[in-house]
Amino acid sequence: MDKAVPDDPVAGLIDIPLPAEVSLWPQTWALWILIALLIVGLAAATIWLARRWHANRYRRAALADLDRIMRSAQPTAGALELLVRRTALAEFPRETIAPMSGAAWLSFLDKSYGGQEFSTGAGRALALAPYAPAPAEDTSALADLVRRWIRTHHA
């Protein structure tokens, strides 16, 4: 008995058609508008942050000077007062800052800072600092107040 060899059973199969590739590009105009708005918003946020960083460079310089003063052998209230005055001149009009002294200067610092520590607290040493010899007291509380003023003062 001679058996006939059957045909290959796989030979008659047809390949399964694959679906078309899905595009990753947005298909609707609404998504294109959303992408455009996101790009514009990102650009605006970047410009705003860059301007803010650039506008606050005087604060970073003043904080670096404060750290240098506090690392010195004898930090004085006079050096801190000079730093506060230079920082104020960088932000506020010279005509406003230059003539101020004493209670008016401390009142201005309080007003721009939003507190009362310059008139009633450790900041009182700034009013007499240019005229009095260096005080024997610790200047760390005054330095902390100056650091907070540099970081948070507003026009």
Side-chain angles (χ1 to χ4, degrees):
M1 228 171 121
D2 195 14
K3 281 186 150 189
V5 178
D7 292 335
D8 187 14
V10 180
L13 294 178
I14 301 172
D15 285 340
I16 300 172
L18 296 176
E21 291 183 12
V22 177
S23 173
L24 295 178
W25 289 103
Q27 300 297 315
T28 63
W29 60 270
L31 286 176
W32 282 105
I33 291 174
L34 179 64
I35 289 171
L37 288 176
L38 287 174
I39 290 171
V40 168
L42 184 62
T46 302
I47 291 169
W48 179 78
L49 286 172
R51 284 185 179 173
R52 184 173 176 193
W53 182 82
H54 186 66
N56 284 324
R57 68 187 180 278
Y58 78 96
R59 290 181 198 257
R60 290 187 300 278
L63 289 171
D65 286 346
L66 178 61
D67 290 339
R68 183 187 47 77
I69 290 169
M70 293 311 293
R71 282 192 309 264
S72 69
Q74 295 267 338
T76 63
L80 294 174
E81 198 279 333
L82 183 62
L83 174 65
V84 170
R85 187 151 314 250
R86 279 193 339 241
T87 305
L89 285 170
E91 175 67 13
F92 300 97
R94 180 172 291 279
E95 298 80 25
T96 305
I97 301 300
M100 286 188 182
S101 63
W105 172 239
L106 297 179
S107 175
F108 168 79
L109 292 175
D110 283 337
K111 185 176 136 191
S112 66
Y113 172 62
Q116 296 296 322
E117 290 88 359
F118 285 101
S119 297
T120 61
R124 290 181 301 188
L126 293 181
L128 299 176
Y131 313 109
E137 63 192 46
D138 185 30
T139 58
S140 63
L142 179 58
D144 290 339
L145 178 60
V146 167
R147 183 178 310 276
R148 280 183 284 155
W149 181 83
I150 291 172
R151 286 184 176 157
T152 62
H153 71 270
H154 54 284

